[in-house]
Amino acid sequence: MKVLSIQSSVAYGHVGNSAAVFPLQRMGIEVMPVYTVHFSNHTGYGAWRGPLLSGADVREVVTGIEERGGLDDVDIVLSGYQGADDIGDAILDAVDRVKRRNPAAVYACDPVLGNATSGCFVKPEVQELIRDRVVPHADLLTPNQFELGFLTGTDPRAIDETLDAVELLRAQGPRTVLVTSVERPDRPADTIEMLAVGESGAWIVQTPHLPFHANGSGDVTAALFSAHFQRTGNLAFALERSAASVYGLLKNTLESGQRELQLVESQEEYVAPTASFTAQRLR
């Protein structure tokens, strides 16, 4: 399997490609990372250094890969945070180039817009880009519950509301939707869930809720789920394995007392998770 991953990069810590690439490689997957920024650290620190690349820069890198024949056997195009509309256009161009060579390839998009705590934190132009141009081209979408509501103009809370919102999103183009950080009001205390919906049905998995937030965990989740699902075609398995791996990574990070994901230290979690969780079929 080969992945073209077009995302941000940081030297210190793990977000974007700096979070997604290593777990995929540890699973034996070839990854071609293309950077949209190269910062010293993620912006959650309030200060950072380094260059922001343009859409033209991204196109140049992808063109160079194409000239080497590197796009011929790509199975997944993976994208995350998109800081400007020219980056989004460059990613969609890359998707088009890949699919011309391999129609079975999928575009897996994490539509980074915001969260329930902070609200929407991207520019209006990026909101429009993702809602109007990216979502219709995505085969697999991995929004959190807030982003699901934003993209569908709903406020999903109960599980039936969330499922209905997912179907609204799937009607726009994506065949498969993974909703991360699902917090339905009637869930057991100290738990959190992920919901996966596709052509084979709808599945939900529940894990203990760890009392902290780690930047980059969504990037890891999107990468692992996309790879497992493209590799096996089994929605429930992809959901269970991704949940187990990310839970192990977050548990190790919490126990370390460190702010940044313990990505390398947790490498066995990507191939043989220490925990296991069973997905329940909803529809």
Side-chain angles (χ1 to χ4, degrees):
M1 180 180 289
K2 182 184 285 187
V3 176
L4 176 67
S5 184
I6 308 176
Q7 301 194 58
S8 60
S9 171
V10 295
Y12 179 85
H14 301 288
V15 299
N17 268 336
S18 302
V21 172
F22 176 69
L24 293 174
Q25 291 174 329
R26 186 64 182 81
M27 291 169 59
I29 296 170
E30 182 71 32
V31 186
M32 296 182 294
V34 177
Y35 301 145
T36 56
V37 307
H38 186 55
F39 288 165
S40 56
N41 51 271
H42 65 71
T43 58
Y45 283 95
W48 63 93
R49 297 177 184 272
L52 184 73
L53 281 75
S54 68
D57 293 326
V58 171
R59 288 174 190 265
E60 277 292 290
V61 174
V62 173
T63 296
I65 296 171
E66 183 178 38
E67 290 170 345
R68 306 284 82 76
L71 299 185
D72 294 350
D73 54 352
V74 169
D75 300 288
I76 301 172
V77 180
L78 180 64
S79 73
Y81 173 74
Q82 300 181 27
D85 58 357
D86 67 329
I87 294 290
D89 288 334
I91 292 171
L92 292 176
D93 178 65
V95 171
D96 182 62
R97 296 195 209 188
V98 166
K99 289 195 170 189
R100 286 202 301 267
R101 290 159 176 77
N102 179 14
V106 301
Y107 173 31
C109 172
D110 184 6
V112 180
L113 293 163
N115 54 59
T117 302
S118 305
C120 194
F121 51 61
V122 300
K123 301 174 184 176
E125 66 186 55
V126 176
Q127 299 171 26
E128 295 172 5
L129 163 75
I130 292 176
R131 184 186 62 239
D132 300 336
R133 305 212 304 276
V134 172
V135 168
H137 284 88
D139 301 292
L140 192 162
L141 210 67
T142 62
N144 60 35
Q145 198 167 17
F146 168 83
E147 291 160 343
L148 172 66
F150 184 92
L151 290 170
T152 57
T154 63
D155 183 22
R157 297 181 185 272
I159 197 63
D160 285 343
E161 294 172 342
T162 303
L163 285 167
D164 290 344
V166 168
E167 291 306 325
L168 289 174
L169 197 57
R170 292 183 68 229
Q172 297 177 37
R175 298 192 303 272
T176 307
V177 175
L178 172 72
V179 186
T180 63
S181 304
V182 175
E183 299 185 24
R184 52 174 164 166
D186 58 344
R187 74 189 189 282
D190 300 320
T191 64
I192 195 164
E193 296 168 314
M194 291 200 299
L195 170 70
V197 183
E199 295 174 353
S200 64
W203 301 81
I204 195 164
V205 68
Q206 188 177 95
T207 68
H209 182 246
L210 298 171
F212 82 118
H213 170 74
N215 293 91
S217 58
D219 301 315
V220 176
T221 302
L224 293 179
F225 180 83
S226 301
H228 284 306
F229 186 55
Q230 181 71 343
R231 181 180 264 177
T232 69
N234 188 321
L235 194 63
F237 172 82
L239 181 62
E240 292 170 347
R241 180 57 69 91
S242 302
S245 294
V246 173
Y247 176 77
L249 168 62
L250 292 176
K251 184 172 182 288
N252 291 342
T253 301
L254 178 62
E255 291 173 351
S256 75
Q258 301 296 311
R259 174 173 179 171
E260 296 293 342
L261 287 174
Q262 299 300 288
L263 197 77
V264 175
E265 294 82 352
S266 302
Q267 60 183 284
E268 290 302 317
E269 296 291 342
Y270 317 132
V271 293
T274 52
S276 64
F277 303 100
T278 301
Q280 302 296 320
R281 184 161 194 157
L282 297 176
R283 290 182 179 174

